[in-house]
Amino acid sequence: MSGILVVLELQTTSAQRAQRISRISWEALAAGQKLAAGQSLTVTAAIIGADTESLAAEIAAKGIATVRVDHPLLAQYTPDGFTLALQQLIQSESPTQVVFPHTYQVRDYAPALAARLGQVLISDVVDIAPGPVFTRQLMQGRLNGNYRATGSGPCLISVQAGAFRAESTQSAAPPAEIKTFTPTIEAAQIRTKPGEPFRGSAQSVDLASAQLIVSVGRGIKEAESLPIVQDLATALGAELAASRPICDNGWLSMDRQVGSSGQTVSPKLYLAVGISGAIQHLVGMKGSQCIVAINKDPDAPIFEIADYGIVGDLFEVVPALTAAIKAAKQ
Amino acid sequence: MKIIVAIKQVPERDAQVRINPTGKWIEESGLQYALNESDAYALEEALQLKEKHGGEVIVVSAGPERVGQTIREALAKGADRAIHIDCDDLGNRDALGVARLLAAAVKPENPDLVLTGLQSEDLGLGQTGVIVAELLNLPHASLILHVEVLDADTKAQIKVKRELEEGWFQSIELPAPAVLTIQSGGNKLRYATLMGIKRAKTKEVRRVTAAELAVDSTAVVVLDQIVLPHKQKSTQMLKGSPKEAAAALAEKLKFEVRVL
């Protein structure tokens, strides 16, 4: 096909266990379309599963050619099943580029798929420039790296959540063609046995509905120092949250964690204390209306998305801020 | 149980990183290095499995001379021996090239498990473990928080707890040997004891050069240029003493953000 293949990911909704196409998949499609426009190529969407007819129709209705990669052994995700299926599809269609959403699932199989094809996945792409040149973050978001594929054969990329606008996938075109691709997979080729997803510990803190959040990161250094941040949250009337390392250390409960593995929040105010802003954290809070960052490192990536920033020692700034807020409230 | 843990030495988290004159990598002189965080959790999981089931923990790491220090730290924490893949051109190899080195070093050991961290803090590719599994033709699971050996005698079947997005998890059963990439937070990390540090000095570190492993080093993906990220928002930086900056911020929160 020498076009661009975009692999969409299905998400199981809790209601009726129905499947739908995840938001980041539409973003991957937008990235595929951006890539296609620069090279005059066509875009085909692929969905993988065991019963994908109605979802395929939903995509095709947007004027996007769709291929259903359909097999009973693909009903539940396994890295072996998905790798085999996509390897066969890619070898049969010979796309120039293959675009994935950068999800936990894609991270689980796309690197192996690329290796099987003698390629390397360019993962977590945030921008695409003519060439094509793919930008991804390095050093925890402090630097950007511009990558290029130099090999022959398909180039595989995965795109970061929120990096491409899903809105641009709207199309007024008439429904496009739907093809079905049936890969050859035998049960014995699937080596892992996945169980049903389950929730972690009961969520007792609902950060998603909090209007004001004070969030603390690694900069706090030790659990004994947490009260100064708690005092700030109390003065503000805010909920206390944290980045992953704080919860990993057991200093705060897991249900206070904001980021890709925790909760996604978009409060009126997000005040980040001692959080450098690794992408895993940013994806969970960058939709906040106002972001304030207090950090000792002027180059911390958190300042790239902050509305207000203070570069300084949090152990001095935070108590001063608590006092100033108390005074301002009087 | 024979467990290999692939670890990476990365610039220390707080290190000030600058782009070097070639524009293709960071300035390495003066940088402090540390063990990649999720690799530390992979090592911890391996040490705990060994404590439960016996066996041996071997660390493997690729990189120049300085990597030896991080290897010693892993030995001090309790790993039994190490393989240092001596390699000065790690930056010129892509993820497949690095995984080929690791796979070539791991293969002759015939381990029961290969563990590694989820992703590195410098490049953040998050691919090495999964590619190593593919190259060794072993089953794998990623983002793992906990490993359970189902059959203590044969150790041929394991059950792992995998993290999914937004607070969900999943159990997966798979046959060993297998490759697992470990997410941070599953265990509490141990510190090296003084005795451990002393013992580490006598433990075996086998050096093998990249050339001796004779793997294909042709990159199919290259890092052309490193640049500073452009700001997504115009940030108002509040300056002055901590007290002055705090007062200025309180003012903004009251009159502009209107949350006080």
Side-chain angles (χ1 to χ4, degrees):
Chain A
M1 97 186 174
S2 77
I4 290 168
L5 185 69
V6 180
V7 179
L8 307 186
E9 187 166 311
L10 303 181
Q11 199 174 35
T12 305
T13 58
S14 37
Q16 292 102 41
R17 305 201 47 76
Q19 288 196 308
R20 63 184 181 90
I21 294 154
S22 69
R23 181 185 165 78
I24 182 178
S25 293
W26 296 115
E27 295 174 0
L29 201 48
Q33 287 171 333
K34 180 175 179 180
L35 198 50
Q39 306 170 91
S40 309
L41 293 172
T42 56
V43 172
T44 302
I47 47 170
I48 310 166
D51 184 16
T52 51
E53 221 158 10
S54 60
L55 289 167
E58 188 191 326
I59 306 161
K62 293 178 190 286
I64 299 156
T66 305
V67 54
R68 293 172 55 208
V69 183
D70 213 87
H71 195 286
L73 289 170
L74 299 173
Q76 199 176 9
Y77 166 75
T78 58
D80 286 333
F82 274 44
T83 303
L84 271 167
L86 279 172
Q87 178 199 3
Q88 292 171 24
L89 179 69
I90 290 168
Q91 282 169 347
S92 136
E93 303 282 315
S94 309
T96 314
Q97 281 118 1
V98 186
V99 183
F100 298 86
H102 192 67
T103 60
Y104 278 16
Q105 186 176 100
V106 164
R107 292 163 64 159
D108 192 51
Y109 76 90
L113 170 67
R116 200 170 293 182
L117 298 164
Q119 303 297 323
V120 170
L121 174 74
I122 303 178
S123 54
D124 217 3
V125 167
V126 294
D127 200 10
I128 300 172
V133 172
F134 302 100
T135 303
R136 54 183 306 283
Q137 296 173 307
L138 303 171
M139 308 303 298
Q140 306 276 311
R142 284 160 203 267
L143 298 172
N144 279 347
N146 293 332
Y147 285 77
R148 208 162 33 84
T150 53
S152 56
C155 165
L156 284 71
I157 71 160
S158 64
V159 299
Q160 188 174 97
F164 296 87
R165 277 186 169 277
E167 285 78 22
S168 59
T169 56
Q170 298 301 327
S171 159
E177 186 194 6
I178 301 175
K179 284 203 301 186
T180 303
F181 180 84
T182 310
T184 310
I185 311 172
E186 285 163 36
Q189 290 174 292
I190 295 174
R191 296 168 290 184
T192 59
K193 212 162 65 186
E196 285 300 315
F198 59 91
R199 268 255 173 234
S201 57
Q203 298 267 331
S204 55
V205 187
D206 182 17
L207 295 175
S209 63
Q211 283 293 302
L212 309 176
I213 292 176
V214 170
S215 195
V216 57
R218 219 183 268 271
I220 197 74
K221 294 201 176 78
E222 50 187 20
E224 288 66 32
S225 302
L226 280 175
I228 65 161
V229 184
Q230 178 67 65
D231 288 349
L232 173 61
T234 307
L236 261 173
E239 198 68 71
L240 185 63
S243 64
R244 183 168 185 119
I246 301 299
C247 302
D248 278 354
N249 284 333
W251 298 349
L252 284 174
S253 62
M254 280 304 209
D255 53 10
R256 292 196 183 270
Q257 185 192 324
V258 168
S260 57
S261 50
Q263 301 192 51
T264 300
V265 299
S266 48
K268 207 168 167 199
L269 171 70
Y270 191 90
L271 204 163
V273 177
I275 293 177
S276 66
I279 180 60
Q280 297 87 336
H281 185 74
L282 298 190
V283 295
M285 48 63 76
K286 66 182 175 188
S288 305
Q289 283 175 45
C290 175
I291 298 169
V292 177
I294 300 170
N295 204 294
K296 69 174 182 343
D297 176 6
D299 297 325
I302 190 81
F303 288 122
E304 282 157 38
I305 61 156
D307 299 280
Y308 301 98
I310 296 177
V311 175
D313 181 352
L314 73 88
F315 297 98
E316 292 178 32
V317 175
V318 170
L321 182 59
T322 306
I325 283 167
K326 281 181 181 163
K329 272 192 164 179
Q330 275 170 5
Chain B
M1 227 178 172
K2 189 175 188 180
I3 307 171
I4 296 194
V5 187
I7 61 174
K8 184 176 187 184
Q9 187 187 56
V10 295
E12 218 165 46
R13 191 169 272 277
D14 287 340
Q16 295 291 323
V17 290
R18 287 169 295 130
I19 302 167
N20 79 6
T22 68
K24 290 176 185 289
W25 193 232
I26 55 169
E27 186 58 57
E28 291 200 343
S29 61
L31 267 190
Q32 297 289 313
Y33 288 88
L35 171 59
N36 185 51
E37 186 170 59
S38 59
D39 296 344
Y41 281 96
L43 175 62
E44 181 60 40
E45 186 67 40
L47 294 172
Q48 294 198 12
L49 284 168
K50 182 194 155 185
E51 282 158 7
K52 257 178 251 165
H53 304 286
E56 188 184 22
V57 173
I58 306 156
V59 293
V60 58
S61 190
E65 184 84 32
R66 60 173 156 78
V67 171
Q69 191 196 336
T70 298
I71 289 175
R72 285 289 166 205
E73 282 167 32
L75 294 172
K77 284 186 175 189
D80 298 286
R81 60 184 170 94
I83 304 167
H84 180 174
I85 303 168
D86 205 343
C87 172
D88 287 326
D89 65 346
L90 216 53
N92 298 335
R93 293 172 195 250
D94 56 21
L96 182 56
V98 174
R100 280 187 181 126
L101 286 176
L102 293 169
V106 163
K107 198 175 169 116
E109 295 283 349
N110 287 314
D112 297 302
L113 276 182
V114 180
L115 306 187
T116 187
L118 172 73
Q119 70 181 43
S120 64
E121 287 160 26
D122 51 0
L123 294 176
L125 294 169
Q127 302 192 24
T128 311
V130 176
I131 302 176
V132 167
E134 171 66 24
L135 295 176
L136 294 173
N137 194 23
L138 294 178
H140 76 270
S142 64
L143 287 136
I144 301 307
L145 287 159
H146 183 70
V147 184
E148 191 186 336
V149 177
L150 289 181
D151 181 344
D153 293 330
T154 64
K155 300 181 179 64
Q157 192 75 10
I158 57 171
K159 185 174 166 183
V160 295
K161 180 182 176 187
R162 172 167 200 254
E163 183 179 289
L164 303 174
E165 279 135 336
E166 292 169 353
W168 289 80
F169 301 92
Q170 179 183 37
S171 292
I172 297 172
E173 284 187 29
L174 67 166
V179 180
L180 305 173
T181 78
I182 305 293
Q183 168 67 295
S184 64
N187 291 306
K188 202 168 160 23
L189 298 177
R190 71 188 65 196
Y191 292 100
T193 60
L194 275 175
M195 183 60 89
I197 294 166
K198 209 171 153 189
R199 277 197 193 132
K201 290 178 183 150
T202 61
K203 289 177 177 171
E204 178 197 311
V205 179
R206 188 163 61 81
R207 277 189 173 231
V208 52
T209 63
E212 282 163 348
L213 292 172
V215 297
D216 186 358
S217 64
T218 321
V220 292
V221 161
V222 293
L223 173 53
D224 257 351
Q225 192 189 18
I226 298 187
V227 293
L228 290 171
H230 46 253
K231 288 179 91 64
Q232 295 171 28
K233 275 187 183 177
S234 60
T235 311
Q236 279 192 49
M237 299 306 283
L238 305 169
K239 301 204 161 73
S241 70
K243 210 172 164 186
E244 287 160 359
L249 178 56
E251 190 99 328
K252 299 285 182 195
L253 293 179
K254 186 164 184 172
F255 296 108
E256 289 181 22
V257 194
R258 294 171 186 275
V259 291
L260 294 186

mmCIF file of all heavy atoms in Angstrom, chain A residues 2 30 33 59 120 129 141 152-153 175 178 184 264 268 272 284 308 316 322:
data_model
loop_
_atom_site.group_PDB
_atom_site.id
_atom_site.type_symbol
_atom_site.label_atom_id
_atom_site.label_comp_id
_atom_site.label_asym_id
_atom_site.label_seq_id
_atom_site.Cartn_x
_atom_site.Cartn_y
_atom_site.Cartn_z
ATOM 1 N N SER A 2 2.109 1.108 0.440
ATOM 2 C CA SER A 2 3.046 2.231 0.556
ATOM 3 C C SER A 2 2.352 3.493 1.062
ATOM 4 O O SER A 2 2.514 4.577 0.545
ATOM 5 C CB SER A 2 3.778 2.515 -0.762
ATOM 6 O OG SER A 2 2.943 3.197 -1.648
ATOM 7 N N ALA A 30 -4.565 11.464 13.879
ATOM 8 C CA ALA A 30 -4.247 12.842 13.478
ATOM 9 C C ALA A 30 -2.765 12.957 13.131
ATOM 10 O O ALA A 30 -2.392 13.612 12.147
ATOM 11 C CB ALA A 30 -4.614 13.814 14.597
ATOM 12 N N GLN A 33 -2.207 11.436 9.797
ATOM 13 C CA GLN A 33 -2.664 12.309 8.719
ATOM 14 C C GLN A 33 -1.688 13.448 8.464
ATOM 15 O O GLN A 33 -1.461 13.841 7.332
ATOM 16 C CB GLN A 33 -4.068 12.834 9.045
ATOM 17 C CG GLN A 33 -5.112 11.724 8.868
ATOM 18 C CD GLN A 33 -6.483 12.102 9.387
ATOM 19 O OE1 GLN A 33 -6.614 12.918 10.286
ATOM 20 N NE2 GLN A 33 -7.514 11.487 8.818
ATOM 21 N N ILE A 59 -15.086 4.080 12.195
ATOM 22 C CA ILE A 59 -13.894 4.752 11.647
ATOM 23 C C ILE A 59 -14.118 5.067 10.166
ATOM 24 O O ILE A 59 -13.862 6.177 9.706
ATOM 25 C CB ILE A 59 -12.637 3.860 11.799
ATOM 26 C CG1 ILE A 59 -12.461 3.431 13.253
ATOM 27 C CG2 ILE A 59 -11.402 4.588 11.314
ATOM 28 C CD1 ILE A 59 -11.559 2.223 13.410
ATOM 29 N N VAL A 120 13.381 -0.267 14.515
ATOM 30 C CA VAL A 120 13.331 0.224 15.883
ATOM 31 C C VAL A 120 12.177 1.215 15.995
ATOM 32 O O VAL A 120 12.062 2.127 15.169
ATOM 33 C CB VAL A 120 14.658 0.919 16.281
ATOM 34 C CG1 VAL A 120 14.511 1.643 17.616
ATOM 35 C CG2 VAL A 120 15.783 -0.100 16.366
ATOM 36 N N ALA A 129 8.243 16.742 11.971
ATOM 37 C CA ALA A 129 8.643 17.802 11.045
ATOM 38 C C ALA A 129 8.936 17.155 9.697
ATOM 39 O O ALA A 129 9.127 15.937 9.620
ATOM 40 C CB ALA A 129 9.880 18.516 11.594
ATOM 41 N N GLY A 141 12.443 15.047 29.983
ATOM 42 C CA GLY A 141 11.773 16.230 29.457
ATOM 43 C C GLY A 141 12.621 17.494 29.464
ATOM 44 O O GLY A 141 12.158 18.556 29.073
ATOM 45 N N SER A 152 15.904 0.680 5.581
ATOM 46 C CA SER A 152 14.852 0.475 4.600
ATOM 47 C C SER A 152 13.745 -0.278 5.325
ATOM 48 O O SER A 152 13.966 -0.856 6.369
ATOM 49 C CB SER A 152 15.387 -0.339 3.427
ATOM 50 O OG SER A 152 15.916 -1.551 3.908
ATOM 51 N N GLY A 153 12.569 -0.252 4.769
ATOM 52 C CA GLY A 153 11.463 -0.929 5.430
ATOM 53 C C GLY A 153 10.634 0.055 6.226
ATOM 54 O O GLY A 153 10.963 1.238 6.293
ATOM 55 N N PRO A 175 -18.190 7.498 3.474
ATOM 56 C CA PRO A 175 -17.595 6.347 4.165
ATOM 57 C C PRO A 175 -16.531 5.655 3.313
ATOM 58 O O PRO A 175 -16.708 5.504 2.099
ATOM 59 C CB PRO A 175 -18.792 5.421 4.396
ATOM 60 C CG PRO A 175 -19.975 6.312 4.382
ATOM 61 C CD PRO A 175 -19.644 7.443 3.463
ATOM 62 N N ILE A 178 -13.822 -0.807 4.008
ATOM 63 C CA ILE A 178 -13.373 -1.619 5.144
ATOM 64 C C ILE A 178 -12.880 -2.956 4.603
ATOM 65 O O ILE A 178 -13.593 -3.636 3.868
ATOM 66 C CB ILE A 178 -14.514 -1.885 6.151
ATOM 67 C CG1 ILE A 178 -15.063 -0.552 6.698
ATOM 68 C CG2 ILE A 178 -14.031 -2.780 7.293
ATOM 69 C CD1 ILE A 178 -16.263 -0.709 7.599
ATOM 70 N N THR A 184 -2.725 -15.549 10.526
ATOM 71 C CA THR A 184 -2.593 -16.957 10.896
ATOM 72 C C THR A 184 -1.953 -17.018 12.280
ATOM 73 O O THR A 184 -0.777 -16.675 12.445
ATOM 74 C CB THR A 184 -1.700 -17.694 9.886
ATOM 75 O OG1 THR A 184 -2.175 -17.382 8.579
ATOM 76 C CG2 THR A 184 -1.721 -19.192 10.100
ATOM 77 N N THR A 264 -5.917 11.481 36.648
ATOM 78 C CA THR A 264 -5.788 12.619 35.739
ATOM 79 C C THR A 264 -6.662 13.741 36.290
ATOM 80 O O THR A 264 -7.837 13.521 36.572
ATOM 81 C CB THR A 264 -6.243 12.233 34.329
ATOM 82 O OG1 THR A 264 -5.418 11.158 33.889
ATOM 83 C CG2 THR A 264 -6.112 13.390 33.366
ATOM 84 N N LYS A 268 -8.815 23.996 38.977
ATOM 85 C CA LYS A 268 -8.668 25.428 38.710
ATOM 86 C C LYS A 268 -7.230 25.860 39.005
ATOM 87 O O LYS A 268 -6.666 26.681 38.308
ATOM 88 C CB LYS A 268 -9.646 26.190 39.620
ATOM 89 C CG LYS A 268 -10.067 27.499 39.061
ATOM 90 C CD LYS A 268 -11.246 28.082 39.818
ATOM 91 C CE LYS A 268 -11.390 29.527 39.386
ATOM 92 N NZ LYS A 268 -12.162 30.330 40.316
ATOM 93 N N ALA A 272 2.430 22.875 42.023
ATOM 94 C CA ALA A 272 3.402 21.774 42.054
ATOM 95 C C ALA A 272 4.624 22.173 42.865
ATOM 96 O O ALA A 272 5.318 23.124 42.525
ATOM 97 C CB ALA A 272 3.810 21.403 40.636
ATOM 98 N N GLY A 284 -0.869 13.783 33.523
ATOM 99 C CA GLY A 284 -1.958 13.715 34.480
ATOM 100 C C GLY A 284 -2.468 15.061 34.947
ATOM 101 O O GLY A 284 -3.480 15.125 35.639
ATOM 102 N N TYR A 308 2.724 30.355 36.462
ATOM 103 C CA TYR A 308 3.528 31.115 37.401
ATOM 104 C C TYR A 308 4.615 30.199 37.955
ATOM 105 O O TYR A 308 4.355 29.011 38.183
ATOM 106 C CB TYR A 308 2.687 31.636 38.575
ATOM 107 C CG TYR A 308 1.543 32.533 38.142
ATOM 108 C CD1 TYR A 308 0.257 32.020 38.007
ATOM 109 C CD2 TYR A 308 1.774 33.880 37.868
ATOM 110 C CE1 TYR A 308 -0.790 32.838 37.598
ATOM 111 C CE2 TYR A 308 0.727 34.713 37.464
ATOM 112 C CZ TYR A 308 -0.552 34.191 37.321
ATOM 113 O OH TYR A 308 -1.571 34.990 36.912
ATOM 114 N N GLU A 316 12.041 27.118 52.043
ATOM 115 C CA GLU A 316 11.871 28.523 52.420
ATOM 116 C C GLU A 316 10.610 29.101 51.794
ATOM 117 O O GLU A 316 9.880 29.856 52.425
ATOM 118 C CB GLU A 316 13.086 29.336 51.941
ATOM 119 C CG GLU A 316 14.376 29.004 52.661
ATOM 120 C CD GLU A 316 15.540 29.812 52.120
ATOM 121 O OE1 GLU A 316 15.337 30.960 51.677
ATOM 122 O OE2 GLU A 316 16.667 29.276 52.112
ATOM 123 N N THR A 322 2.565 29.880 52.565
ATOM 124 C CA THR A 322 1.460 29.546 53.487
ATOM 125 C C THR A 322 1.090 30.776 54.309
ATOM 126 O O THR A 322 -0.091 31.125 54.436
ATOM 127 C CB THR A 322 1.881 28.387 54.419
ATOM 128 O OG1 THR A 322 2.320 27.298 53.601
ATOM 129 C CG2 THR A 322 0.722 27.931 55.291
#
